[in-house]
Each structure stands twice: as C-alpha cells, then as structure tokens.
Amino acid sequence: MLLIFLLTCTALRAFNAQAKVVEKFDLCGEMFYKNKEPQGMDQNAVKICQMMQNKPKAFFATLYSTRHKIPLYSAYVFDPQCLQTATEKTAKRCDQWHIEPQIYKTSEPAHMIRESTAKEFVATYKGRQAITANYEHTGYDRGHLNPNGLQCGDARLATFTLTNAAPMDACFNRIQWKIFESYLQSFLKTTFPSDKVATFQAYIITGTVPGNEKIPQIDDCEDSRDFEQVTVPSHIWTAVCIKHLSDDRKSFSFGYLGENKPEFEIKIKSVSEMNRKLNELYKTTVKIFDGDCFSDQQSSKDAENFFLNLIKLPEYRNSLKRVRSDDISGPSPTKYSKMAQS
C-alpha cells in the first residue's frame, strides 16, 4: 500500500501539502507564546505541525483528537504582511480539502492528500479523522480554526485541511463567527500599522470544546455513510496574545467565546476569564498562555473594551439578522479603538 501511495503522489502532483505528526511541538514550538503549548487539553490527542512540501517551516500547529475527529485547537503566529497583500475582496478561497495520512500511521508519508483526487485512501484514513462526507447534508460547515481569511499565500492554502476544521453550525459560522473574524482582522490592522509591523508579535489560538452531539446523525433516509462519526463542538473560542517586542507595558491579551448555535452571541473575556470558563467546560485545568499573557494589565482591558464597544452598537445587533455568508455588513471597528499606537 505504501508503494502505491508513493507512486500516486508522484503521478498526481496534487499531493502538494505536507504535515508532520510529532511527539512534541518542537518542530513548530514558535507558534506558541514563549514556546509553551496550552495545558489541560487531551494528552492523547495528536500533535501536528502543519507544513507544505518543500517549505522549511510549519505554518501552524494543531492538536487533533482522533476520538472526536476534530481539532482541539490550532495555533499560529499572525503575519502582518497578510494584511497588506490580501483583502476580503481579492483573497481567493481554495476549497480543496486535504486529509492527513500520518494520523492513521506515523510511518505513512508526511503529505496531506487532496481528498478529491485520492478517494481510494479515504476509506483507510477515515477511522481516525473526519472526511468531507461526514459533513454533507448535516447543517454544519467545515469551520476553520486557523481562519483562511487571516492568511495569505501558501499559509492560506495550508488551512484547508480537515485536521483544521470542526463542525460549526452554518449560521454561527457564517454570521457571528465570521463577523468576529472580520473584527479581529480590523483590530490587527490597527495594532500592526504598516510603519510598525516589527513592533509586536501576535500569537493566536482558536479551539473547540467537544460536545455530546455527533454527525452525521442517523435519519430515516437511505444513506451509505457511517453515522455519528464527528463530534460537534459545544463552544468555539479564540485567545490572542500580543507581545510588544521592547516594552511589556504595551503587551496585552484578550479572548472571545461563543456557543456553537445560531441564536447565541460571542462573549468577550480576558485570558484569565477564558481559562476559568474552559476549566468549567473541559472539567480540567486549562492554561492557554504562559502567565496568561499580561491579562491583568490595563492594555488588556483596553483590548477587551475595543470589542465590548462593538457588540453594543446597533449596527452589530442588526447585522446578526441580516448578514449573509458572503456579505459582512457590520460596523467598521477601527474608529472605536482605544489602543495606543505609540
């Protein structure tokens, strides 16, 4: 089987993405603040350094649960150059999803397989990871944790792996979560003006809380799929740690979390509050960032207020009712920023 796999990879050139399943995140430890990964997650989950073939560095890190068949989190260092080279209007979606053979067996080649061109391998690997068929006709999107909209170039393509996706309610993903991704993008533009790109380093982690529901659900329709394969997260969360490279008084952090349901809104939290909430949800002790990344500083409270001001605006309230998946019409948050850019 391995020989056939290698010959297929050579012939098809579509197997152009690469990922490395690792025992420790040493290969991509720079994705985490102070090179320290979050604590308190499932220690039996698989650690992946998400890479591309012929590229020397990983684009992001993922902790993937083979039991739930969803990522518990994806972590990356934000590249401010992406704000200058890609916009919502010009950036292109790939929508060519990959699966990861090393989750099945670490001796397999470290190439993600483009699912659409390697259907003969899907049956082999689907026992330990999600596939596209698990999502079809379920009402759930393959929701990115590391969002493609905040990436550019090869890093954008690398996000289209099913090891970076979890079932998100379609309304939640396309309205509330998408709005906040756009707000985060605007916030980062404010934090990383073109003349001060080298001033800050932003560490971003987006994670899931496994829930009790699984997809696809069993129904009365004739269906050849395997049912109840992929766990639906009860909550989706993002934590941001922004380290000033020369003055820690200007370092800060914040987070936000939402229930994976169409009627629920996003909640703004400090990183310390996020840890307490995740402790409650995971029923274990969670630590996202080392030292909570300056969570108790005034600069962190200013960052939280930035987003708290947005969710109070009438424009935001109305946008929850009218936003379509391809048309975010909420307010521009830039003018509400209280963050000092000195």
Side-chain angles (χ1 to χ4, degrees):
M1 177 179 174
L2 180 57
L3 177 61
I4 295 174
F5 180 89
L6 291 173
L7 291 174
T8 306
C9 286
T10 303
L12 285 178
R13 297 297 181 191
F15 300 178
N16 62 347
Q18 196 173 38
K20 181 71 172 176
V21 171
V22 295
E23 291 186 8
K24 297 181 179 180
F25 277 123
D26 294 348
L27 186 63
C28 51
E30 71 274 13
M31 301 300 162
F32 305 104
Y33 174 57
K34 292 188 177 181
N35 284 67
K36 295 182 179 179
E37 65 192 81
Q39 301 299 305
M41 308 294 182
D42 184 358
Q43 297 305 303
N44 295 317
V46 176
K47 297 178 180 181
I48 308 173
C49 292
Q50 305 280 10
M51 305 174 71
M52 297 287 284
Q53 189 176 17
N54 299 322
K55 303 293 181 180
K57 294 184 178 181
F59 290 104
F60 62 104
T62 297
L63 185 68
Y64 190 82
S65 171
T66 57
R67 179 164 68 97
H68 295 292
K69 297 184 182 178
I70 59 173
L72 299 179
Y73 64 74
S74 284
Y76 60 98
V77 176
F78 176 70
D79 180 2
Q81 297 298 323
C82 290
L83 295 176
Q84 301 168 26
T85 59
T87 66
E88 282 294 320
K89 292 183 179 179
T90 61
K92 296 180 180 179
R93 283 182 63 92
C94 170
D95 280 339
Q96 293 289 336
W97 289 86
H98 296 77
I99 54 178
E100 172 50 62
Q102 282 204 337
I103 290 180
Y104 168 70
K105 187 186 297 184
T106 55
S107 61
E108 294 286 274
H111 292 270
M112 292 179 190
I113 304 175
R114 186 178 293 178
E115 190 182 29
S116 62
T117 58
K119 295 181 181 179
E120 66 269 30
F121 297 106
V122 171
T124 300
Y125 301 133
K126 69 179 183 179
R128 291 177 59 82
Q129 62 186 285
I131 60 175
T132 295
N134 296 141
Y135 286 85
E136 293 173 343
H137 313 300
T138 64
Y140 289 94
D141 288 346
R142 293 167 292 186
H144 285 73
L145 297 196
N146 178 3
N148 68 88
L150 287 180
Q151 309 300 335
C152 55
D154 289 336
R156 186 176 177 86
L157 297 177
T159 66
F160 284 88
T161 168
L162 285 157
T163 55
N164 182 48
M168 292 191 195
D169 176 89
C171 291
F172 175 82
N173 182 43
R174 301 177 193 183
I175 300 178
Q176 295 100 307
W177 201 249
K178 187 172 182 179
I179 289 173
F180 261 77
E181 284 183 352
S182 73
Y183 285 171
L184 179 58
Q185 184 179 59
S186 294
F187 180 84
L188 292 171
K189 286 180 179 179
T190 304
T191 305
F192 291 91
S194 58
D195 61 334
K196 296 183 180 179
V197 165
T199 305
F200 294 90
Q201 184 105 308
Y203 301 89
I204 303 177
I205 302 178
T206 294
T208 64
V209 178
N212 297 319
E213 183 180 345
K214 290 182 179 289
I215 59 167
Q217 292 181 332
I218 298 174
D219 55 29
D220 295 330
C221 298
E222 187 175 336
D223 198 323
S224 60
R225 293 182 294 175
D226 296 324
F227 291 108
E228 298 183 340
Q229 295 295 298
V230 182
T231 299
V232 177
S234 63
H235 295 74
I236 310 292
W237 56 269
T238 288
V240 180
C241 170
I242 298 187
K243 174 73 167 64
H244 194 282
L245 299 183
S246 61
D247 186 352
D248 277 344
R249 292 173 299 178
K250 297 177 182 178
S251 299
F252 59 94
S253 62
F254 62 93
Y256 51 89
L257 172 146
E259 289 195 52
N260 190 18
K261 298 178 180 179
E263 66 270 23
F264 285 89
E265 300 176 14
I266 308 297
K267 303 295 184 183
I268 313 302
K269 294 184 179 294
S270 69
V271 169
S272 297
E273 291 171 336
M274 184 78 79
N275 282 333
R276 289 192 288 271
K277 182 62 177 178
L278 293 180
N279 290 346
E280 173 189 325
L281 293 171
Y282 281 112
K283 295 179 173 58
T284 186
T285 301
V286 174
K287 191 79 168 177
I288 303 172
F289 296 122
D290 183 74
D292 290 354
C293 186
F294 308 97
S295 182
D296 59 346
Q297 291 195 163
Q298 183 59 45
S299 52
S300 294
K301 294 178 173 58
D302 290 341
E304 295 164 38
N305 287 333
F306 175 94
F307 289 94
L308 287 171
N309 285 336
L310 294 178
I311 63 177
K312 295 176 183 177
L313 294 173
E315 294 93 331
Y316 173 74
R317 318 305 302 181
N318 293 334
S319 69
L320 294 177
K321 301 177 181 178
R322 69 172 183 265
V323 175
R324 302 191 305 274
S325 62
D326 61 347
D327 178 22
I328 296 179
S329 53
S332 172
T334 306
K335 64 182 178 180
Y336 299 100
S337 176
K338 293 185 177 181
M339 302 303 298
Q341 297 304 317
S342 57

